[in-house]
Amino acid sequence: MKGMTMTSKPGLLARMLGRGSRAPVVASLAAAVLNQPLLVQPAIGEALVGGYLEGKVTSDDSVLKADRLDISGAGVQRADAPQNLIGVINLSGGMVNRPMPGASGPGPVSYAAVRDTFDQLLNDDAVTSIILRLDTPGGMASGCFDLVDHIFESRGRKPIYALVDDHAYSAGFALASACDEIWISRTGGVGSVGVVCYHHDWSGNNAQIGLKVTPLFAGARKVDFNPNFPLSEEAHVQALADLEDMRTMFVDTVARNLGMDAAAVSATEAACYRGQAAVAVGFATRLGTWHDLIAQLGAAESPPPSAPGNPDPDDEPEASATLPVPEAAPAPPAAVVENPTATLAAAVAASELPPALAVALLRRPLQEGEPAASAIEYATAVQDACAAALRGDDTLAASFIEKNTDLDTVRAQLLSMKAEEGRSTQVVTAQPASMADQRAADNKAKLNPNHIYKQRGN
């Protein structure tokens, strides 16, 4: 045991998890992710962090590769069409701030490497547009927003597309939001605009192996979040405040990038959205696969990217684009195209709907021409109906709202449930009386005068 007390915690962790000579990666990764704010989809992110530490996930599972793809023949081209070179950044796995090389390889994808690769493609005059192809649950908060701002500020130099193939959660979604357009597959997922942090308490394990850690420190907060001790209440409060500040930064960044109201982004409460639902909520521009995007970019005179969440110009009637305009007439002001989903999300955020019902209303299929106030009124009516039926739990109301169940059907189903409960109660209360109660009832009946007279007559 004396030998173990001299072993560093990361080194001991490496030996316990069987990493052996790969301890340098374990040490650097543990220092980077434990007690640090992370922009990851919680379920996948926690499994990924554990996978790296246990050696189940290695550098080979995280990929950052840049390709220059000639797609001149991908679409209908003129015979004299110039070379159409597309820069593609393939990014998969978790992401960290700076490179973490070690005995097992270069480590997870770093924001620094992504920026270098992006700049190479951006400054290459032969590259006509850039695709950021994403399959990531997210990564560290540190360094993420700097890279997002850099990509966002590069808009206009050449078209920048995000292809969600198949997930771009949290930090991955932050990167996607900085691009001109976000394409997503039908099964792809985006969102999780939130922050999470993990504190690992090793004190129980220390006690089991006979290891006692005595902190010697100056400054009351110096050992906050130390994994050798349970998390104090003060440190817990401080961590939550820090995470909320960072979430606000995340929300504001996404809102700026997508042209959405910050309240609408915040109202999603870090929810994740797939395929068409992502487009409906404003977190993606359009549905499309890798082949769809390549075909679009390979076509001659491709239209410029539209803002994420707005209708695609290709969906507008062709006649509206070919109306003759007199040369002497001044150009009419550009019409402001409202995004009904963003409008609804902003209205929901400003309403008094509980969080569960707000998210359900955002996930509800968008009703064409329905004002946001009417949608909120519908959700409130469903909530009131459930409460009147003594079913005030928001779970049932949220289910009705998300499925867009009309009010008459909601009331009918609630009445049916109540009637079913009544029948169940009747069955329960009609059980046979106990033997003692039965004997008391028999004796009472015998003392009834009618019964006595009847007996005398016999």
Side-chain angles (χ1 to χ4, degrees), residues 56 59 74-75 157 178 207 230 253 266 277 291 320 366 399-401 410 421 432 443:
K56 296 176 181 177
S59 299
R157 292 184 57 180
T253 299
S266 180
H291 299 289
S320 63
L366 196 63
S399 177
F400 282 136
I401 293 170
V410 169
E421 285 180 351
N443 291 334

Side-chain angles (χ1 to χ4, degrees), residues 195-221:
V195 191
V196 67
C197 182
Y198 300 102
H199 174 260
H200 284 211
D201 180 1
W202 293 333
S203 58
N205 180 69
N206 291 344
Q208 288 185 356
I209 65 176
L211 177 64
K212 181 179 181 181
V213 179
T214 302
L216 304 174
F217 60 96
R221 313 305 296 271

